[in-house]
Every structure is written in structure tokens, then in C-alpha cells.
């Protein structure tokens, strides 16, 4: 338990964190990587360059400070972050390093305003928060290792097949190099791979959604090649997988993780909405519904630039044709000659209302994933359709943002 004075001092910093949080977390990463360059083998370099990781940490620190007197309210966030930490193989010994440099950054940025009392209060508060993360993550490590076919840390996989799905997305079918069984996973979870491309100083880790139902003899991830044409920065890992990784090569991965999962065991309808490579977790959900809950009504809506950029189209068509309760719809933002789709242009609330029956929106669990602009547009549309918040489920690729800011 934290002392009342500690809680008082931490909560007093909330307005400052709202204003200076990104500066503090930016400085934190600078200090930590300068003194512990080995941690560059864990953190996503692209998110660092783009400032997304700093912003995500700033949001987490702000939430912790604002709720320091009722930390139980942020346990759902702790669990969500804990999944990624477990997937990245974050260990208890990393937490003191983080705490030390976070306090240094607070002092550096706030200067004399960060009094000794405030720094001491934050040190105590960080210790309690870190203990909560460590406890949650230890349970996750144990659960991943204890299930049949489970493991802890990294496991080697052989690329059994490499299949081009579109101009930018390729699927990789992975078999355990040790010949053992594969642990089960929930539809919507991801696999975290670790690679060291030629010419790179550090290891690189990335989360990729599993794009098929559990119970296969391989894991499948479907990866978009981030060539940098849109963002200006090419994806180190995605380009390596597309250009260098071949059938028969070895890839390391941690056990499946993630909280963005399909709610099963209910008869309610399901709406799956995806944009671009955001269809990968939806494919896992779609296959799971078709195989295990074929009596549920499912609406699968996917948006892509055009047919050339549309991955797994025929696979979705086959699943749809085999089950009359599943309906699929395709939207192309900029269709080309010969493309066939259900809508040209962007998805909006008006088109969704005309495509999915009104009573479905009042009952369905809705899942969506894709680029952030797509997700913000979908979130606004769902709010416009009066879909209740407890039935809206979404996943960010990379550090979580706030759709409510749209």
C-alpha cells in the first residue's frame, strides 16, 4: 500500500504529466538506450523513430498517476500491456532499469519542479506499479508454458510454406523446428517473431496476427511489406521476411499472445470489419466461427485499395460459400478496370446501415482492425449506428492510440 503522502504527491503531478508527458518519455528512452543499448534488441525501432512508443508510454504514465489511489481500475490496461511484454520476453529484471531512467527523465525535464519529495513519491509509486506488471506477466508466462505444446521464451520455427496473397501481403506457414506440437491460441491473437537482418546491429521483434483458426499443423502469419512509400520509412522486419526469408529458413517466435479475441459461446451475431492488413486477425475469427459456431450470423466486411492489394479474397469467398450464415462484402477505395466489389470508395455509416440489418447492429459483437484513419472512421460510424461500447472491440497495430479523439 502507498502512503497517503505519496499518493498526494503523485496525483499533484497529473497536470504536469498532461502537458510534459511526451517530453519526459522521449527523454526516458534517450537515457535508457544510451546506458543500456542491449534493450534495443527488444524495442520497436520504427515506433521509437515515429514517436509512437513515447506517446503510448506517456499515456500509460498519465493513467497510472491519475489513478494512483485506485490502481485496480487500470488492471485491464496492465493486462493488455502485459500480453505484449510477455510476447517480447520482458523480464522482472528489466523493471528496475525502466524505473531508474524514468525518474532521471522526470528530473531532467521538470528541473527544480521535480523536488526530492516528488521523485521519492514517484519511486515508491513505480515500485507498486512494477510489481503489478510483474505479477500479471508471471501468470501469463506460466499459462503459456503449461498448456500442451506451450513454451516460454523463444522457439524456433521452420518456414514450411511462403505464399504471396496480394501485391503487398505474403503468408508464412510455420512448423516447430523441434517437431513438437503447437499450442492452441485464441482467434485474434498474434505471434511475435524475432529476426536479425543482414547489416542490422540489433535484433528486431514484431507482432503479427495469426491469420487462421487454431488447430492446424502450422501457424500462419500474413505479413504486409511496409516498403516506405506511404510512411517514408521501410519496415525492417516486414521487408526482411518478404525479400530474404525463404521456405526452409528458421524463424524464432514467442508463444501466441493478445487480448483482442473473439467472444465465443454465444449466439449473438458478429460483424468483422477490416482495412488492408487488418484482415489478418479477422481471418482467424472467421475460420473459427465457420468451424466451431456455424449457427451464428456473421458479416465480414473488408476494405482495400483495389483487387491487387486485396489478400485472401478467394479464401474468404470459399468460407462464405460453404456457410449460408456468413455474408462477406468488399470495398475498394480506388477500384481498377476489371475489379468487382460491393462498394467503391470508403466505408461509412450510411453504407454500413444499408448493408447490415438494423437489428444486427443492436445485438452484434463488432470487431475491427486496420490503419488508424480507417479505425477512426469505423469507430465514428459505429457510434453513429448506436452500437453500445461494450460490444465494440478493436486492435491497434503498434502502440495503442485513442479513437475517441477522432
Amino acid at each position: 500500500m502507498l502512503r497517503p503522502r505519496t499518493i498526494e504527491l503523485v496525483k499533484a503531478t497529473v497536470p504536469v504529466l498532461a502537458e510534459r508527458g511526451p517530453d519526459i518519455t522521449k527523454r526516458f528512452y534517450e537515457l535508457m538506450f544510451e546506458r543500456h543499448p542491449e534493450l534495443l534488441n527488444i524495442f520497436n525501432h520504427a515506433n521509437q523513430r515515429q514517436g509512437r512508443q513515447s506517446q503510448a508510454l506517456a499515456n500509460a504514465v498519465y493513467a497510472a498517476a491519475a489513478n494512483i489511489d485506485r490502481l485496480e481500475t487500470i488492471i485491464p490496461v496492465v493486462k493488455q500491456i502485459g500480453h505484449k511484454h510477455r510476447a517480447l520476453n520482458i523480464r522482472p529484471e528489466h523493471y528496475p532499469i525502466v524505473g531508474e531512467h524514468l525518474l532521471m527523465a522526470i528530473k531532467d525535464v521538470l528541473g527544480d519542479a521535480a523536488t526530492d519529495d516528488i521523485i521519492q513519491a514517484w519511486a515508491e509509486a513505480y515500485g507498486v506499479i512494477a510489481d503489478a506488471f510483474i505479477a500479471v506477466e508471471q501468470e501469463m508466462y506460466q499459462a503459456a508454458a503449461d498448456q500442451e505444446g506451450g513454451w516460454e521464451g523463444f522457439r524456433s520455427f521452420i518456414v514450411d510454406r511462403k505464399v504471396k496473397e496480394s501485391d503487398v501481403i505474403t503468408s508464412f506457414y510455420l512448423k516447430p523446428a523441434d517437431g513438437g506440437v503447437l499450442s492452441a491460441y485464441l482467434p485474434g491473437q498474434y505471434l511475435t517473431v524475432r529476426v536479425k537482418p543482414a547489416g542490422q546491429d540489433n535484433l528486431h521483434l514484431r507482432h503479427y496476427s495469426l491469420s487462421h483458426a487454431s488447430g492446424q499443423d502450422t501457424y500462419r502469419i500474413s505479413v504486409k511489406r511496409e516498403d516506405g512509400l506511404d510512411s517514408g520509412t521501410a519496415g525492417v522486419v516486414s521487408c526482411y521476411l518478404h525479400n530474404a526469408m525463404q521456405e526452409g529458413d528458421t524463424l524464432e517466435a514467442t508463444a501466441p499472445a493478445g487480448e483482442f479475441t473473439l467472444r465465443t459461446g454465444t449466439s449473438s451475431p458478429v460483424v468483422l470489419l477490416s482495412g488492408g492488413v487488418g484482415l489478418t486477425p479477422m481471418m482467424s475469427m472467421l475460420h473459427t466461427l465457420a468451424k466451431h459456431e456455424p449457427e451464428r450470423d456473421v458479416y465480414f466486411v473488408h476494405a482495400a485499395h483495389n483487387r491487387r492489394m486485396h489478400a485472401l479474397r478467394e479464401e474468404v469467398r470459399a468460407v462464405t460459400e460453404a456457410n449460408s450464415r456468413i455474408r462477406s462484402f468488399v470495398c475498394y477505395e480506388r477500384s481498377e478496370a476489371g475489379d468487382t466489389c460491393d462498394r467503391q470508395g470508403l466505408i461509412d455509416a450510411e453504407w454500413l446501415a444499408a448493408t447490415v440489418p438494423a437489428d444486427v447492429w443492436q445485438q452484434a459483437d463488432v470487431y475491427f482492425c486496420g490503419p488508424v484513419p480507417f479505425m477512426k472512421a469505423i469507430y465514428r460510424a459505429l457510434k453513429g449506428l448506436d452500437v453500445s461500447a461494450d460490444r465494440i472491440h478493436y486492435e491497434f497495430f503498434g502502440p495503442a492510440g485513442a479513437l475517441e479523439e477522432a
Side-chain angles (χ1 to χ4, degrees), residues 365-385:
D365 280 306
V366 183
Y367 302 82
F368 63 100
C369 185
V372 172
F374 167 87
M375 293 180 65
K376 289 187 174 183
I378 293 297
Y379 187 80
R380 286 196 300 270
L382 296 178
K383 288 297 186 181
L385 292 165

Side-chain angles (χ1 to χ4, degrees), residues 90-406:
I90 300 294
R91 296 293 179 172
E93 57 266 28
H94 292 129
Y95 280 91
I97 297 173
V98 170
E100 176 189 0
H101 293 91
L102 181 61
L103 296 178
M104 290 172 62
I106 291 173
K107 187 65 177 176
D108 270 14
V109 172
L110 300 186
D112 292 342
T115 64
D116 290 345
D117 284 348
I118 287 176
I119 293 299
Q120 180 58 37
W122 261 103
E124 292 178 23
Y126 176 80
V128 171
I129 296 167
D131 286 346
F133 273 96
I134 290 169
V136 166
E137 289 160 19
Q138 182 55 44
E139 291 180 3
M140 292 179 177
Y141 278 112
Q142 198 67 48
D146 285 350
Q147 68 170 308
E148 183 182 8
W151 72 96
E152 188 170 336
F154 288 89
R155 186 179 184 184
S156 293
F157 289 83
I158 303 298
V159 178
D160 186 57
R161 281 197 295 151
K162 179 180 178 182
V163 179
K164 184 176 180 180
E165 308 287 7
S166 75
D167 280 6
V168 293
I169 294 176
T170 292
S171 289
F172 298 83
Y173 292 76
L174 309 176
K175 279 193 171 183
D178 58 17
V181 299
L182 290 171
S183 62
Y185 58 88
L186 300 175
Q189 290 193 306
Y190 52 80
L191 205 63
T192 302
V193 304
R194 180 171 71 176
V195 299
K196 191 175 188 300
Q200 292 289 320
D201 294 330
N202 300 106
L203 296 166
H204 291 259
L205 287 79
R206 294 292 186 277
H207 307 303
Y208 292 114
S209 296
L210 290 147
S211 60
H212 209 295
S214 185
Q216 311 299 308
D217 63 354
T218 58
Y219 285 147
R220 184 178 75 175
I221 56 173
S222 301
V223 179
K224 180 188 176 187
R225 184 184 67 252
E226 299 291 351
D227 51 23
L229 296 180
D230 296 326
S231 65
T233 304
V236 171
V237 178
S238 67
C239 288
Y240 173 77
L241 293 175
H242 273 253
N243 301 332
M245 186 66 63
Q246 302 300 325
E247 293 178 356
D249 289 347
T250 301
L251 191 63
E252 291 184 312
T254 56
E259 278 203 316
F260 177 63
T261 57
L262 178 71
R263 187 166 72 97
T264 57
T266 175
S267 60
S268 62
V270 179
V271 179
L272 305 174
L273 299 158
S274 58
V277 75
L279 95 164
T280 53
M282 303 306 169
M283 292 300 299
S284 181
M285 295 182 186
L286 179 67
H287 280 293
T288 301
L289 288 163
K291 182 177 180 180
H292 297 292
E293 297 187 338
E295 73 286 351
R296 294 177 74 177
D297 287 317
V298 179
Y299 295 81
F300 186 97
V301 181
H302 180 61
H305 286 293
N306 50 50
R307 185 184 178 103
R308 292 185 297 104
M309 307 286 276
H310 184 178
L312 302 166
R313 177 186 175 110
E314 295 308 314
E315 187 169 309
V316 173
R317 187 197 303 276
V319 174
T320 303
E321 291 178 349
N323 191 320
S324 62
R325 305 297 290 268
I326 298 176
R327 305 160 183 84
S328 65
F329 304 89
V330 175
C331 300
Y332 288 152
E333 182 178 354
R334 293 186 289 272
S335 59
E336 299 177 345
D339 285 352
T340 57
C341 59
D342 299 285
R343 174 177 173 79
Q344 295 187 34
L346 302 175
I347 297 175
D348 57 25
E350 183 179 5
W351 180 79
L352 286 174
T355 303
V356 178
D359 62 325
V360 170
W361 292 116
Q362 303 310 309
Q363 305 171 45
D365 280 306
V366 183
Y367 302 82
F368 63 100
C369 185
V372 172
F374 167 87
M375 293 180 65
K376 289 187 174 183
I378 293 297
Y379 187 80
R380 286 196 300 270
L382 296 178
K383 288 297 186 181
L385 292 165
D386 293 325
V387 179
S388 63
D390 64 331
R391 290 185 291 103
I392 296 176
H393 316 278
Y394 54 87
E395 172 80 321
F396 277 96
F397 286 157
L403 296 185
E404 292 82 357
E405 296 173 357

